[in-house]
């Protein structure tokens, strides 16, 4: 079922495995929003629905056993990609749900004597759940400031992280500036005060396998649809000891040991956090995506994505009145290139680019406080995946140049 992905790397060969990219006039550059899906994932989804569709958790017939095997297999695949044991992988519906799950569970543990630290760089998904916790439980909320180039200002960590800090929740890679977080420095400060660390991995997980235990954090949230898998599936990973101390967030079927009319006792993780029928096909699709990603030559893919990013940054910066947000050097930087053009609204620009088949995102990208800190209301954003190539970046640069001339005249 799987198509081989050879050593070395040719984006044009890989692109042929993505039926959604077959239209010759489409240049899909909105991968930070959602990526396209390879044949291997489509085949796994179809295979599950036809050959293994049943419900999980203890039904004795063969279809249920097939579904359970597929679900367990998917958990093992994504666990392998993250470098963690399967029982530490909680299936969610995406990064947003994973972070809400953690915040909701912590609502039973934290109160006015406790602090959660986020950053100014965050997607609203890693800000609003903590604002809600602050409103509901009186938990204090502080934010790590950013540098003018859109990185976390880690020199000011000590100003924000105090002895009352229980959790530091920051992005692994910004969906606007592309800045990647220096995790070791966050950990150092977190460990000094006994705080746990959550990384929002939505923008990092698609760009190569991880070794989360070596990274040293406690929780990691990601979305399947950004890493070539289906929508409606994601992962919240937690170290065994960190998950063990959390109560469930959602409650209902399939996550209990025993129930009386008055009370219930709950299953061990990960089941405790997976109430109700899970998104089974989604999990199987994500498992297939992880398996597919695991076969790639990642040093070649990462070098390729870095080349595209560098080419786009240099080309956009060279256009009159264009400012690329975020760091311009490629060190610790993901393939996300947001930019503003003097005198031109980013939505008008992206609508014009769409006429040339260039798919970019416009607006605040669910990061309003970050845009405000950068002094702009919104931006246009090109974000690259492994199937993009240099010709598409050239088309982007040409398209932006042409559109700006038109829109400014
Ligand atoms: N965090 C970051 C950094 C993101 O870029 C996104 C989506 O763009 C999210 C969280 C939310 O992901 P989802 O909508 O899949 O829950």
């Amino acid at each position: 079922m799987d198509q081989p992905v050879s050593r070395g790397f040719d984006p044009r060969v890989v692109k042929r495995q993505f039926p959604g990219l077959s239209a010759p006039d489409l240049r899909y550059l909105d991968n930070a929003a959602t990526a396209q899906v390879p044949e291997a994932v489509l085949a796994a989804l179809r295979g599950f629905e036809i050959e293994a569709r049943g419900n999980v958790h203890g039904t004795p017939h063969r279809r249920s056993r097939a579904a359970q095997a597929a679900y367990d297999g998917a958990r093992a695949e994504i666990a392998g990609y993250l470098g963690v044991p399967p029982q530490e992988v909680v299936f969610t519906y995406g990064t947003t749900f994973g972070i809400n799950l953690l915040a909701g569970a912590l609502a039973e543990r934290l109160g006015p004597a406790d602090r959660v630290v986020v950053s100014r760089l965050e997607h609203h998904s890693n800000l609003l759940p903590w604002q809600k916790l602050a409103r509901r439980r009186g938990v204090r909320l502080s934010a790590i400031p950013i540098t003018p180039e859109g990185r976390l200002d880690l020199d000011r960590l000590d100003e924000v992280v105090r002895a009352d800090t229980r959790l530091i929740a920051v992005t692994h890679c910004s969906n606007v500036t592309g800045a990647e977080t220096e995790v070791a420095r966050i950990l150092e400060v977190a460990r000094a005060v006994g705080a746990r660390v959550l990384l929002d991995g939505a923008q990092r997980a698609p760009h190569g396998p991880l070794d989360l235990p070596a990274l040293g954090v406690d929780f990691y949230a990601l979305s399947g649809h950004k890493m070539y898998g289906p929508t409606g599936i994601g992962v919240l990973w937690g170290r065994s000891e960190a998950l063990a101390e959390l109560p469930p967030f959602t409650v209902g079927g399939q996550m209990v040991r025993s129930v009386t009319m008055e009370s219930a006792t709950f299953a061990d993780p990960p089941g405790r956090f997976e109430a109700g029928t899970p998104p089974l096909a989604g999990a199987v699709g994500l498992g297939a995506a992880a398996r597919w990603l695991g076969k790639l030559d990642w040093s070649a893919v990462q070098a390729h994505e870095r080349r595209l990013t560098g080419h786009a940054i240099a080309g956009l910066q060279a256009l009159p009145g264009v400012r690329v947000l975020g760091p311009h050097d490629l060190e610790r930087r993901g393939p996300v290139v947001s930019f503003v053009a003097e005198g031109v609204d980013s939505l008008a620009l992206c609508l014009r680019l769409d006429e040339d088949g260039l798919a970019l995102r416009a607006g605040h990208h669910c990061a309003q406080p970050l845009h405000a800190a950068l002094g702009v209301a919104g931006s246009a954003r090109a974000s690259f995946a492994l199937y993009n190539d240099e010709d598409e970046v050239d088309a982007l640069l040409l398209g932006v140049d042409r559109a700006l001339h038109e829109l400014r005249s």
Side-chain angles (χ1 to χ4, degrees):
M1 228 178 334
D2 288 355
Q3 301 193 10
V5 181
S6 58
R7 290 280 124 188
F9 180 71
D10 181 344
R12 289 178 184 83
V13 172
V14 169
K15 193 173 186 175
R16 282 187 223 125
Q17 298 184 29
F18 286 77
L21 294 172
S22 58
D25 59 344
L26 174 65
R27 282 126 179 170
Y28 188 77
L29 303 177
D30 194 16
N31 297 285
T34 200
Q36 300 295 320
V37 181
E39 197 63 71
V41 170
L42 296 172
L45 290 171
R46 188 173 162 79
F48 171 78
E49 297 294 9
I50 294 171
E51 290 155 25
R53 189 178 170 104
N55 211 333
V56 287
H57 298 306
T59 322
H61 58 77
R62 67 190 67 177
R63 271 306 178 99
S64 173
R65 286 199 301 274
Q68 186 74 54
Y71 190 52
D72 295 344
R75 201 188 300 276
E77 292 284 1
I78 186 69
Y81 185 78
L82 301 176
V84 302
Q87 66 274 17
E88 294 185 343
V89 167
V90 177
F91 278 123
T92 64
Y93 304 100
T95 305
T96 305
F97 191 89
I99 298 174
N100 274 274
L101 187 166
L102 182 59
L106 286 174
E108 290 189 32
R109 296 281 185 268
L110 302 185
D114 303 310
R115 181 182 305 275
V116 171
V117 170
V118 292
S119 88
R120 192 76 193 239
L121 212 52
E122 301 311 310
H123 188 283
H124 297 163
S125 291
N126 195 30
L127 174 60
L128 272 54
W130 308 114
Q131 287 183 353
K132 183 172 164 188
L133 187 66
R135 268 196 320 275
R136 293 256 170 102
R137 300 281 305 136
V139 170
R140 295 172 208 182
L141 186 60
S142 305
I144 303 166
I146 57 169
T147 64
E149 67 162 4
R151 290 191 186 277
L152 292 188
D153 192 347
L154 296 179
D155 293 338
R156 296 178 63 191
L157 258 186
D158 291 337
E159 290 170 25
V160 185
V161 180
R162 319 253 169 80
D164 60 0
T165 305
R166 304 287 168 256
L167 179 76
I168 302 179
V170 291
T171 192
H172 197 182
C173 176
S174 164
N175 67 314
V176 176
T177 70
E180 281 180 13
T181 297
E182 263 184 275
V183 179
R185 289 189 60 192
I186 300 273
L187 282 174
E188 205 179 299
V189 176
R191 295 299 173 247
V193 296
R196 294 213 183 271
V197 174
L198 160 73
L199 287 185
D200 170 350
Q203 294 299 338
R204 168 58 186 83
H207 301 292
L210 290 149
D211 182 347
L212 294 180
L215 200 58
V217 299
D218 302 288
F219 299 102
Y220 200 89
L222 61 83
S223 297
H225 68 98
K226 295 186 197 287
M227 46 190 297
Y228 313 100
T231 54
I233 186 74
V235 164
L236 177 68
W237 167 78
R239 272 180 200 286
S240 292
E241 60 275 20
L243 286 180
E245 65 190 28
L246 291 179
F249 171 51
T250 51
V251 289
Q254 315 210 359
M255 46 75 73
V256 291
R257 281 215 188 96
S258 72
V259 180
T260 67
M261 285 311 289
E262 291 76 34
S263 65
T265 57
F266 303 114
D268 290 333
R272 185 192 303 170
F273 304 106
E274 296 182 357
T277 298
L280 295 172
V284 168
L286 177 56
R291 187 163 62 245
W292 186 84
L293 287 170
K295 291 182 194 157
L296 294 169
D297 177 348
W298 276 101
S299 60
V301 176
Q302 286 169 349
H304 167 68
E305 291 185 342
R306 206 171 305 124
R307 258 193 314 276
L308 299 183
T309 308
H311 185 26
I313 292 173
L316 287 167
Q317 270 296 121
L319 297 177
V322 172
R323 170 186 163 207
V324 172
L325 306 178
H328 294 180
D329 69 287
L330 300 177
E331 202 53 39
R332 286 184 294 102
R333 196 196 192 293
V336 172
V337 183
S338 301
F339 59 98
V340 287
E342 211 176 282
V344 176
D345 175 63
S346 60
L347 179 59
L349 174 62
C350 291
L351 283 170
R352 176 63 192 83
L353 293 174
D354 181 56
E355 290 173 25
D356 294 340
L358 289 157
L360 276 76
R361 198 168 187 84
H364 54 62
H365 320 307
C366 303
Q368 271 185 306
L370 169 56
H371 275 90
L374 296 171
V376 292
S379 57
R381 182 183 74 187
S383 49
F384 305 111
L386 43 79
Y387 41 62
N388 292 125
D389 59 41
E390 298 276 345
D391 290 350
E392 289 176 309
V393 180
D394 286 338
L396 167 71
L397 299 176
L398 200 68
V400 172
D401 193 24
R402 198 162 41 204
L404 291 181
H405 274 107
E406 278 178 32
L407 293 166
R408 281 175 178 152
S409 61

